[in-house]
Amino acid sequence: MDWDAIISYLPRYKDALLLTVKIGWLGILLAFIIGVLCAAVIHQKIPVLRQITGFYIELFRNTPLLVQLFFLYFALPKVGVRVSPQFCGSLGLGLLGGAYMAETFRSGLENIAPIQSESAQSLGMSKMQAFRYVILPQAVSSSVPGLLANVIFLLKETSVFSTISLMDLMFTAKDLIGMYAKTIECLTLLVVFYLIMLLPVSILGSLVERRLRHAEFGN
Amino acid sequence: MPNLGIDVLFKGKNFLRLLGGLWAAVRISLISVAISIALGLVMGMLMTSQNKILKAVFRVYLEVVRIMPQLVLLFIVYFGTTRVFGWDLSAEYAAIIVFSFWGVAEMGDLVRGALISIPKIQYESAQALGMTGLQIYLYVILPQTIRRLIPLSINLITRMIKTTSLVMMIGIVEVLKVAQQIIEANRRTSPNAAFGVFAVVFLLYFIVCWPISRLAAYLERRWS
Amino acid sequence: MEQVLLEINHIQKAYGTHVVIDDFSLAVNKGEVVVIIGPSGCGKSTLLRCINALEDIQGGEILLNGEEVLKEAKNISKMRQKIGMVFQSYDLFPHKTILENIVLAPIKVQKRTRPEAEKEAVELLTKVGLADRKDAYPRQLSGGQKQRAAIVRALIMHPKILLLDEITAALDPEMVREVLEVVLSLAKAGSTMLIVTHEMAFAKAIADRVLFFEHGKIVEESSHPKEFFTHPVTERARAFLKTFDYETEQNS
């Protein structure tokens, strides 16, 4: 192990990590918003929009992010839509993640028995009130483990950003290996930096899951 | 209407080449899934063990698979191990190793989950009939878990097919790589080919993965 | 002159071609306790759900104090506040404590103040013996306790009539009594109730009027419950009651 090389590489990895985190979290935020909207459309059975949403979800769940990014980055400029690599990265991740988040929220909503809404309505609540005070809080808390799993999944997926010339961790590792051929050092740093990015989320995920599984409400 | 390059695909053997690339990807996934299912079953049974050391090892294994991007693993196996051990590993083998490493962990965890969901009384009543450990698994426990496992394994296939898109980054000529080559070769005559060709690749993946994931969803609904 | 509170005129309820309630009419007077019995799946629960407009009806009308109860009507919230309902599976809100379960609707729907709603909630909880459990979550309670809390959740809205849908059917036998005693005390206090139950002894004790319901219709109706339970008139009711009575079976 060449420690001097490792130390000299650190700043580049740090920059790459910051870039990945920035684009990644923007994408995840976008995914969250898209997911909530799509789940609401499907749950409320809004005609037409519901079919479009369903098609979008299936399309993005059944194609790889890499292909989606290639399409956004290389194909769209040919029809006059040109976007920066960074925007492209966040948008691609957001579209992919939105489809997954939508499924998570939807199943969270579906898991709440209809009689919960009925018993709220039998107390005189409107459908909206029943949704807001009774269904939504339960759905959100039951979706949390799934959401965190999606976050981990999406942060992992950022590893393909280098293909649209974003200087992320993979790009940096590949670049440095190409220049100095210190493969082991570069790969070790790559693993370490991915751990720095993902381990906290993963630990949070298992903590939340354990809490929800063993405690639910009132324990 | 500008030329969007669909015509490029009908030149010569371009479309067949694209399908060939897709098949390279699907082949890697199918082999990896087969290995994952076979080893995953064994893995899952081992994972129900109460041995502390074994448990710790599995935990680390699962956690590595859970948080390391597959692309990082591909780099480690393809560039890293060849460097350290000096062996000659083809990109395709590297891909199969990584995908199996990932698949066995996932299958193992699914099998473990399915096994521990079978009530203890099932094991006990089989024991009471004098069955051995292996007989109990073979005739009583596994048949009950199969219905839960099949949809999940089918899902794993689609996820693997999608993930094979990564193998172009270690130099395997799969569908995206072929697409790039076609676009490059026709750069002069059809400068906008990227749109048509990538759109077709997008659709190809969808056409392959969508029916498989629908099947998994259908079976899951039917058997749950 | 007795005052009619709930009036059901010729209602019809079907799922597709499957008729669940067929030309059903009933009038419930203020302060009256009407018990509906009948075999499982005969449409008793559906009837209660229709009265609370949780189900739409294909014909007829349901009137409370002369005002129509209609699923899509603007005043449905107002109407439902006047019709309390308690379900078989309690259906407390699992993410809220018992007290929060009870005060949610008074605060959000009736716009009452929190202190006032909580004060009444605690009074009602005390009456059903649950005051010390007010800060517990539903899953920490036994079935009987949950059901008593669900009754309080309905009562705090000051409903004109209470619909009880097999409220003891999901309970362990030893918990049935604690719930039924709450209902008996409500009856003594003059509440108007429409009760669907499988507890024949309870029905006999509490009913002012008994309806035997089968295939979406009233088969037998009696304003003398004691007599109905010992000497039912129709053959169907006799056969039904017999299934609850092992001794008669053996002796005859």
Side-chain angles (χ1 to χ4, degrees):
Chain A
M1 217 36 116
D2 184 344
W3 292 101
D4 289 342
I6 287 188
I7 286 165
S8 70
Y9 297 160
L10 276 178
R12 281 204 57 187
Y13 275 93
K14 194 199 80 192
D15 291 346
L17 177 73
L18 292 179
L19 181 76
T20 311
V21 166
K22 193 179 112 195
I23 302 172
W25 282 103
L26 268 177
I28 287 166
L29 184 67
L30 183 62
F32 189 86
I33 296 167
I34 295 176
V36 170
L37 291 178
C38 290
V41 163
I42 293 177
H43 188 73
Q44 299 297 321
K45 303 199 168 73
I46 300 171
V48 189
L49 268 184
R50 180 182 168 207
Q51 277 78 17
I52 296 172
T53 307
F55 177 70
Y56 151 71
I57 291 174
E58 291 296 330
L59 187 64
F60 278 81
R61 279 177 69 94
N62 285 293
T63 45
L65 177 61
L66 191 52
V67 175
Q68 294 161 13
L69 286 180
F70 269 40
F71 188 79
L72 291 177
Y73 190 66
F74 295 114
L76 283 189
K78 305 293 178 191
V79 289
V81 186
R82 193 171 293 278
V83 283
S84 75
Q86 294 209 10
F87 181 79
C88 204
S90 290
L91 179 65
L93 200 66
L95 287 173
L96 172 81
Y100 281 85
M101 296 286 191
E103 283 292 281
T104 306
F105 286 128
R106 190 187 57 83
S107 75
L109 286 171
E110 263 177 18
N111 281 338
I112 312 300
I115 199 160
Q116 281 284 318
S117 176
E118 288 172 357
S119 62
Q121 287 180 52
S122 79
L123 293 167
M125 285 189 218
S126 67
K127 268 193 179 155
M128 270 316 289
Q129 284 176 319
F131 187 76
R132 179 162 159 214
Y133 298 116
V134 176
I135 306 301
L136 202 59
Q138 292 183 57
V140 166
S141 72
S142 78
S143 302
V144 168
L147 287 186
L148 284 169
N150 284 345
V151 168
I152 293 174
F153 161 71
L154 291 174
L155 285 175
K156 279 166 74 175
E157 289 280 307
T158 61
S159 65
V160 301
F161 280 174
S162 64
T163 53
I164 53 167
S165 55
L166 282 169
M167 289 200 249
D168 73 335
L169 289 169
M170 291 308 299
F171 184 95
T172 305
K174 220 174 162 180
D175 195 35
L176 288 171
I177 291 173
M179 283 198 291
Y180 307 110
K182 295 208 180 295
T183 312
I184 305 307
E185 287 79 359
C186 289
L187 289 179
T188 309
L189 279 172
L190 181 65
V191 168
V192 169
F193 273 83
Y194 267 110
L195 284 179
I196 293 174
M197 182 163 74
L198 283 158
L199 207 54
V201 188
S202 170
I203 291 171
L204 179 67
S206 11
L207 281 180
V208 167
E209 198 160 333
R210 197 167 316 159
R211 221 188 113 72
L212 283 184
R213 187 156 10 111
H214 293 298
E216 293 183 298
F217 293 100
N219 227 348
Chain B
M1 183 76 193
N3 177 0
L4 291 178
I6 305 278
D7 55 314
V8 167
L9 288 170
F10 297 103
K11 265 198 229 157
K13 290 189 170 164
N14 279 350
F15 195 68
L16 276 182
R17 281 178 60 205
L18 213 53
L19 289 183
L22 188 63
W23 170 240
V26 172
R27 190 179 56 217
I28 292 176
S29 345
L30 290 182
I31 296 174
S32 309
V33 168
I35 296 173
S36 303
I37 290 175
L39 294 183
L41 281 175
V42 179
M43 188 77 181
M45 288 187 216
L46 290 178
M47 279 163 113
T48 57
S49 141
Q50 293 301 315
N51 185 314
K52 281 221 168 72
I53 298 168
L54 218 51
K55 268 183 141 170
V57 172
F58 288 139
R59 255 202 87 90
V60 173
Y61 175 30
L62 286 182
E63 196 63 8
V64 167
V65 170
R66 209 162 91 96
I67 68 178
M68 268 303 130
Q70 281 88 1
L71 191 54
V72 174
L73 299 177
L74 277 174
F75 268 45
I76 291 173
V77 172
Y78 188 60
F79 298 115
T81 67
T82 44
R83 177 85 179 193
V84 173
F85 304 114
W87 60 32
D88 192 22
L89 189 67
S90 80
E92 190 161 347
Y93 279 127
I96 290 173
I97 290 172
V98 168
F99 282 23
S100 303
F101 180 77
W102 161 40
V104 171
E106 292 238 349
M107 271 312 286
D109 201 37
L110 295 178
V111 171
R112 186 193 61 93
L115 287 179
I116 58 174
S117 75
I118 303 284
K120 218 174 140 208
I121 190 88
Q122 287 286 322
Y123 291 87
E124 289 169 353
S125 49
Q127 269 169 351
L129 293 168
M131 290 192 197
T132 65
L134 188 64
Q135 285 172 325
I136 294 176
Y137 271 116
L138 234 44
Y139 303 123
V140 181
I141 306 302
L142 281 183
Q144 297 188 51
T145 59
I146 288 286
R147 286 195 158 193
R148 246 181 84 175
L149 289 175
I150 287 178
L152 297 169
S153 327
I154 296 175
N155 254 330
L156 190 61
I157 300 178
T158 62
R159 285 166 58 208
M160 289 217 172
I161 293 176
K162 283 186 288 172
T163 314
T164 48
S165 58
L166 300 180
V167 301
M168 70 170 283
M169 317 247 313
I170 57 168
I172 295 180
V173 183
E174 47 66 75
V175 60
L176 263 181
K177 194 77 206 169
V178 175
Q180 277 183 329
Q181 289 169 350
I182 293 175
I183 293 164
E184 196 62 28
N186 296 280
R187 180 172 221 109
R188 209 165 305 194
T189 53
S190 186
N192 288 333
F195 187 87
V197 175
F198 282 136
V200 168
V201 171
F202 205 132
L203 278 182
L204 275 182
Y205 267 105
F206 181 69
I207 290 168
V208 172
C209 293
W210 187 67
I212 306 179
S213 67
R214 293 313 302 165
L215 174 69
Y218 169 76
L219 291 179
E220 205 172 329
R221 246 198 328 270
R222 231 192 109 175
W223 286 346
S224 65
Chain C
M1 181 71 197
E2 277 170 352
Q3 187 196 345
V4 174
L5 183 66
L6 176 74
E7 202 178 341
I8 302 172
N9 293 325
H10 308 287
I11 63 164
Q12 191 87 18
K13 167 75 195 171
Y15 296 104
T17 56
H18 177 62
V19 177
V20 187
I21 297 168
D22 186 16
D23 192 23
F24 176 89
S25 298
L26 173 72
V28 180
N29 295 322
K30 193 162 180 297
E32 195 182 18
V33 176
V34 177
V35 174
I36 304 176
I37 60 169
S40 305
C42 69
K44 309 177 301 260
S45 293
T46 310
L47 175 66
L48 293 196
R49 291 170 59 85
C50 289
I51 297 172
N52 208 351
L54 291 172
E55 305 277 349
D56 46 8
I57 50 177
Q58 277 75 46
E61 56 175 6
I62 297 166
L63 305 170
L64 186 77
N65 272 339
E67 258 186 286
E68 186 161 20
V69 184
L70 251 184
K71 194 165 184 237
E72 302 301 337
K74 279 218 176 70
N75 69 343
I76 188 60
S77 167
K78 280 265 175 306
M79 297 310 290
R80 280 188 178 134
Q81 290 173 47
K82 294 178 191 165
I83 307 170
M85 180 151 182
V86 183
F87 299 86
Q88 174 177 342
S89 44
Y90 348 117
D91 302 294
L92 296 172
F93 309 131
H95 61 302
K96 294 192 174 294
T97 63
I98 296 306
L99 188 65
E100 287 168 345
N101 257 283
I102 295 166
V103 300
L104 179 68
I107 292 173
K108 299 296 177 193
V109 179
Q110 296 179 325
K111 311 290 177 203
R112 288 153 67 180
T113 65
R114 177 170 280 273
E116 186 270 325
E118 286 189 353
K119 184 167 162 279
E120 188 182 355
V122 172
E123 283 168 15
L124 288 169
L125 281 171
T126 309
K127 274 188 197 159
V128 302
L130 281 178
D132 55 328
R133 304 295 282 154
K134 69 179 168 62
D135 295 317
Y137 281 90
R139 67 186 292 273
Q140 296 167 313
L141 266 52
S142 73
Q145 291 174 322
K146 276 190 261 200
Q147 198 56 290
R148 283 183 276 156
I151 293 172
V152 170
R153 188 176 67 172
L155 285 178
I156 198 168
M157 304 299 285
H158 307 143
K160 304 273 182 246
I161 183 169
L162 209 49
L163 313 176
L164 307 183
D165 184 7
E166 298 198 30
I167 58 166
T168 58
L171 296 179
D172 289 335
E174 68 268 26
M175 290 170 185
V176 170
R177 189 167 200 104
E178 67 189 47
V179 172
L180 294 184
E181 262 160 17
V182 170
V183 182
L184 275 169
S185 71
L186 287 174
K188 272 196 202 114
S191 301
T192 314
M193 291 189 275
L194 189 53
I195 303 175
V196 166
T197 185
H198 280 299
E199 298 288 335
M200 293 307 143
F202 165 68
K204 196 164 154 184
I206 199 169
D208 296 319
R209 187 143 54 106
V210 184
L211 306 182
F212 176 64
F213 199 67
E214 193 176 44
H215 301 311
K217 284 181 165 57
I218 299 176
V219 176
E220 184 169 344
E221 179 173 353
S222 167
S223 299
H224 306 281
K226 308 265 160 4
E227 210 173 296
F228 169 81
F229 282 102
T230 42
H231 302 290
V233 178
T234 58
E235 187 54 43
R236 283 298 309 137
R238 207 172 301 146
F240 175 74
L241 286 175
K242 218 171 172 183
T243 58
F244 288 87
D245 205 340
Y246 296 102
E247 255 174 90
T248 335
E249 190 82 4
Q250 281 162 358
N251 291 346
S252 57

